[in-house]
Amino acid sequence: MTRTATSPDTAPALATASLPEQTPPDDFVARRWLESLARAGGRWPQLAILCALLSTFVLLAQAWAIAHLAQGVAIDRVGLEALWPAIAVLAVSLSLRGALSGLRGYAGTRASQSIRRRLRERLLERFAELGPLWVRRQHRASLANRVWDQVESLHSYYADFRPQTRLAGLIPLLLLLVVFPLNWAAGLILAVTAPLVPIFMILVGIAARKRSEEQFQEMDRMGRHFMDLLTGLKTLKLFGAARRGPQVEAVSHAFRKRTMRVLRLAFLSSTVLEFFTAVSIALLAVYLGFHFLGHLQFGTWGDSPLDLETALFILVLAPEFYQPLRELGVHYHAKAEAEAAATDLAPILGNSPLADRENTEIDGTVAATHQETSVASSHLGLQHLTLEDIAVRYPSQYPDSTPALGPLSLHINAGEHIAITGASGSGKSTLLNLLLGFVSASDGLLSLNGHPLSHGLPAGMITWVGQDTVILSGTLADNLRIAHPHANDCELEDALGNADLLEWLHSLPDGLATRLGEGGQPLSGGQARRLSLARAFLHDAPLVLLDEPTASLDAESEARVITALKRLGENRTLLLLTHRPELLPLCQRLLRLDDGRLVEDRPLDDTATRGES
């Protein structure tokens, strides 16, 4: 679910507990997940396979040219002019195969790039859907490992292994169809020895899969360890414990050992495949040699003898017959790495990783959907919002423990401006997380205009403005359009004017094209806060949630933000988390929470407001 404006509030302490163990998908589910992701590769995988098949047809011409040249020079003793056609065919076929091989590699790389780019986009979208509450419970190193290392590990799978699985069946079958009519014994040798390669490849691959999973886990642990050291470096230095060289060395050494185990298995698989391929080709060469010596007089069709040109043609094709199987074995470790990555990513993205949105619950955290309910499409206005005996428990809580929020009943009418107060841990953040859809109610009913909601309010009906404004590294227009991607410049200027930033806009060197963020135009705390309000004006949702919008501001900046809030509250419903008495005149109603329960609900008139002050 897309939430506008700024970063969310600090998650409650209960939400910082680690995730429970998730059941990893089995091998079949991981393979199906990887296949469903392959759709993002477009037509590039088919082009890679087509190039390989065309290269095989060109190989037939190349093998004929080599065999014809050997027959002409060694047996027929013909002149050079008679050999020129074969020489030309050989030169052209070598050039064509090189070009087709390069095009195949390019197509495989493009397919892999497209898939990995789409997967990274989907992962980031998914993190946004799950919300900051879920993200904050994950270690930053784990999130980075998923987005970068695990996605990157899929490159060889989609660029090399997956196309090779098709070619490993098609190319040997095509060559068998060519060899069998020439000599059935040679074809039989190829057909019988070919299964040895995939059998031993699978045996080695089983161990490689386990090693790859261990390597990902060790990489995750190493990343966490290093990130924790960097984060706590000031504290470690303060207590004289900054020297952590032996610990870092031990963690790095453990990761290096696991990496070498994976590499040993990869080299072992290549060695095994090369051995069986060499033995098979040698067996075919021995048969052909003994056939010419007269010791083995079988294998030909009819009474026609086997000549040197046919034998060389078969012998040249033999290594290419095993080559697809050998390449499959070389890239088999890519399959193990991809399945290990899928085991970790599938529980986050679901069984359909490319789905735009899913109703998926991960560890009790519900992701919002475009298909929230029919309310989102048929009741765009906010008439009233009702919470009936709502209770929220975080996943770390026991089912019979006191809920973080509730039981709570509350009725909010359109256009109301409500101040929500309470001590830290009283349930204010949980209430907003419930409305935003970042947590789901364990009991009770949340309804909008009389229609039940299961996962918070629809994205188009709610705007969130927190204490910290997220400034993107981009132009001012880019920073505003995250709230309304299709807004024109006039709409952007109107939003800035409503947020009391029009004078600041006119002072910028490039106006809306001025770059903000790292290396760009700096913003004061008050300007950043009003920029988040400008985003709220652009989003134009009927319900606005605000968390201490004037916190840490000086008196002048606070006054300007309050003026902008008054404009924002016109024809909108406001829920305002605050401890500041200066904000109470904006509201008509005060709610006070304590220990997750509503302990006070009263109107705010001028007298009451002065009393609060």
Side-chain angles (χ1 to χ4, degrees):
M1 179 184 290
T2 303
R3 305 294 181 198
T4 59
T6 64
S7 61
D9 59 335
T10 304
L14 288 169
T16 60
S18 59
L19 290 170
E21 188 89 18
Q22 292 180 358
T23 304
D26 56 25
D27 291 350
F28 173 75
V29 173
R31 286 193 293 270
R32 188 176 62 183
W33 189 87
L34 291 170
E35 284 300 311
S36 65
L37 185 60
R39 296 196 303 270
R43 297 295 181 183
W44 291 109
Q46 289 86 340
L47 179 59
I49 294 173
L50 178 62
C51 289
L53 291 177
L54 290 176
S55 179
T56 302
F57 285 107
V58 176
L59 168 67
L60 298 178
Q62 178 183 323
W64 170 84
I66 294 173
H68 187 74
L69 287 172
Q71 176 77 17
V73 172
I75 304 299
D76 299 338
R77 307 285 183 176
V78 297
L80 184 61
E81 59 278 359
L83 298 177
W84 273 116
I87 294 174
V89 170
L90 179 61
V92 172
S93 62
L94 287 172
S95 301
L96 272 177
R97 292 197 73 199
L100 288 170
S101 177
L103 182 57
R104 175 192 169 188
Y106 174 77
T109 300
R110 286 295 302 270
S112 173
Q113 287 176 343
S114 177
I115 292 169
R116 286 180 288 128
R117 181 175 62 251
R118 182 67 187 94
L119 179 58
R120 282 198 177 99
E121 291 173 355
R122 181 65 190 124
L123 266 175
L124 295 176
E125 289 173 3
R126 188 63 175 150
F127 292 163
E129 291 171 11
L130 291 169
L133 196 63
W134 181 85
V135 170
R136 290 187 180 190
R137 290 158 56 198
Q138 311 301 306
H139 200 287
R140 284 174 290 177
S142 297
L143 294 175
N145 180 47
R146 285 166 176 160
V147 173
W148 180 252
D149 294 317
Q150 293 194 13
V151 173
E152 197 65 23
S153 69
L154 301 179
H155 169 70
S156 293
Y157 177 83
Y158 290 108
D160 301 313
F161 178 80
R162 190 172 178 273
Q164 198 61 38
T165 55
R166 277 69 171 171
L167 297 173
L170 293 174
I171 293 178
L173 180 61
L174 177 62
L175 295 181
L176 278 179
L177 294 176
V178 174
V179 171
F180 256 110
L182 301 176
N183 187 282
W184 62 263
L188 188 62
I189 291 173
L190 295 176
V192 170
T193 55
L196 294 176
V197 177
I199 287 174
F200 282 91
M201 176 180 66
I202 291 172
L203 293 177
V204 175
I206 292 173
R209 164 78 184 278
K210 185 174 183 296
R211 292 284 185 267
S212 295
E213 291 178 352
E214 293 175 353
Q215 187 191 29
F216 276 132
Q217 293 171 0
E218 191 66 30
M219 185 183 299
D220 186 33
R221 282 194 292 268
M222 185 176 70
R224 289 174 181 234
H225 180 75
F226 186 67
M227 183 67 71
D228 289 340
L229 281 179
L230 288 181
T231 303
L233 192 57
K234 291 182 179 179
T235 305
L236 292 172
K237 193 171 183 178
L238 182 65
F239 287 94
R243 297 182 179 274
R244 295 284 174 170
Q247 290 90 336
V248 174
E249 183 180 2
V251 173
S252 303
H253 183 64
F255 177 71
R256 184 168 60 250
K257 287 173 63 178
R258 293 191 184 278
T259 302
M260 292 307 299
R261 290 176 187 172
V262 175
L263 291 176
R264 278 198 298 270
L265 278 173
F267 287 128
L268 174 62
S269 64
S270 300
T271 303
V272 169
L273 298 181
E274 292 291 342
F275 172 76
F276 282 103
T277 300
V279 169
S280 302
I281 295 174
L283 184 61
L284 178 61
V286 167
Y287 160 74
L288 294 174
F290 275 99
H291 185 88
F292 281 117
L293 292 175
H295 298 300
L296 297 175
Q297 296 300 319
F298 63 87
T300 57
W301 299 96
D303 298 329
S304 57
L306 184 66
D307 57 9
L308 179 63
E309 183 173 352
T310 304
L312 282 176
F313 179 78
I314 295 173
L315 202 56
V316 170
L317 292 181
E320 301 296 334
F321 174 84
Y322 296 104
Q323 185 63 26
L325 297 172
R326 291 163 61 191
E327 289 186 10
L328 187 65
V330 168
H331 300 304
Y332 196 78
H333 69 281
K335 173 179 179 290
E337 287 186 0
E339 290 183 351
T343 300
D344 187 55
L345 296 178
I348 297 175
L349 296 178
N351 293 332
S352 301
L354 295 182
D356 289 335
R357 307 280 178 179
E358 291 181 4
N359 283 327
T360 305
E361 184 170 327
I362 298 181
D363 187 39
T365 303
V366 181
T369 68
H370 280 310
Q371 302 170 344
E372 174 71 44
T373 61
S374 60
V375 176
S377 57
S378 61
H379 298 274
L380 297 179
L382 171 63
Q383 300 168 15
H384 54 83
L385 179 66
T386 304
L387 290 76
E388 299 178 18
D389 297 323
I390 286 287
V392 176
R393 289 182 175 84
Y394 287 102
S396 58
Q397 294 183 273
Y398 294 106
D400 57 349
S401 62
T402 302
L405 177 68
L408 183 145
S409 295
L410 185 63
H411 187 83
I412 300 171
N413 291 316
E416 279 195 289
H417 297 172
I418 301 175
I420 303 175
T421 63
S424 178
S426 61
K428 304 187 305 297
S429 299
T430 303
L431 174 59
L432 295 194
N433 282 318
L434 172 70
L435 297 177
L436 288 164
F438 297 147
V439 294
S440 58
S442 53
D443 297 299
L445 178 65
L446 172 66
S447 61
L448 173 65
N449 303 338
H451 297 266
L453 297 174
S454 56
H455 306 314
L457 276 75
M461 300 195 66
I462 192 167
T463 295
W464 165 258
V465 180
Q467 297 183 31
D468 302 316
T469 303
V470 176
I471 305 298
L472 303 179
S473 182
T475 66
L476 172 58
D478 294 335
N479 274 272
L480 290 170
R481 287 194 175 104
I482 63 173
H484 187 355
H486 304 295
N488 57 42
D489 289 353
C490 291
E491 290 173 318
L492 300 184
E493 291 184 10
D494 288 343
L496 291 171
N498 285 325
D500 197 13
L501 285 173
L502 205 54
E503 182 180 348
W504 173 72
L505 170 66
H506 293 154
S507 69
L508 295 177
D510 298 315
L512 290 171
T514 302
R515 294 196 63 82
L516 305 181
E518 186 175 355
Q521 175 74 28
L523 282 79
S524 67
Q527 289 169 339
R529 202 68 55 85
R530 279 177 280 146
L531 179 62
S532 67
L533 294 178
R535 292 171 177 167
F537 279 109
L538 275 174
H539 189 54
D540 196 22
L543 175 62
V544 182
L545 307 180
L546 304 113
D547 181 13
E548 295 287 3
T550 61
S552 306
L553 296 182
D554 57 61
E556 181 183 355
S557 297
E558 182 179 47
R560 301 181 76 173
V561 169
I562 290 175
T563 301
L565 286 174
K566 289 179 181 177
R567 296 193 194 100
L568 183 62
E570 294 175 1
N571 301 317
R572 293 183 179 90
T573 305
L574 296 185
L575 293 184
L576 177 62
L577 268 67
T578 184
H579 296 95
R580 305 277 296 177
E582 291 81 2
L583 293 175
L584 294 181
L586 297 174
C587 304
Q588 305 107 16
R589 184 176 167 193
L590 174 69
L591 305 179
R592 188 163 65 87
L593 299 179
D594 185 24
D595 198 21
R597 295 175 180 269
L598 181 62
V599 295
E600 186 177 2
D601 181 356
R602 63 180 176 83
L604 277 174
D605 53 21
D606 292 338
T607 304
T609 300
R610 286 193 294 270
E612 291 286 342
S613 300

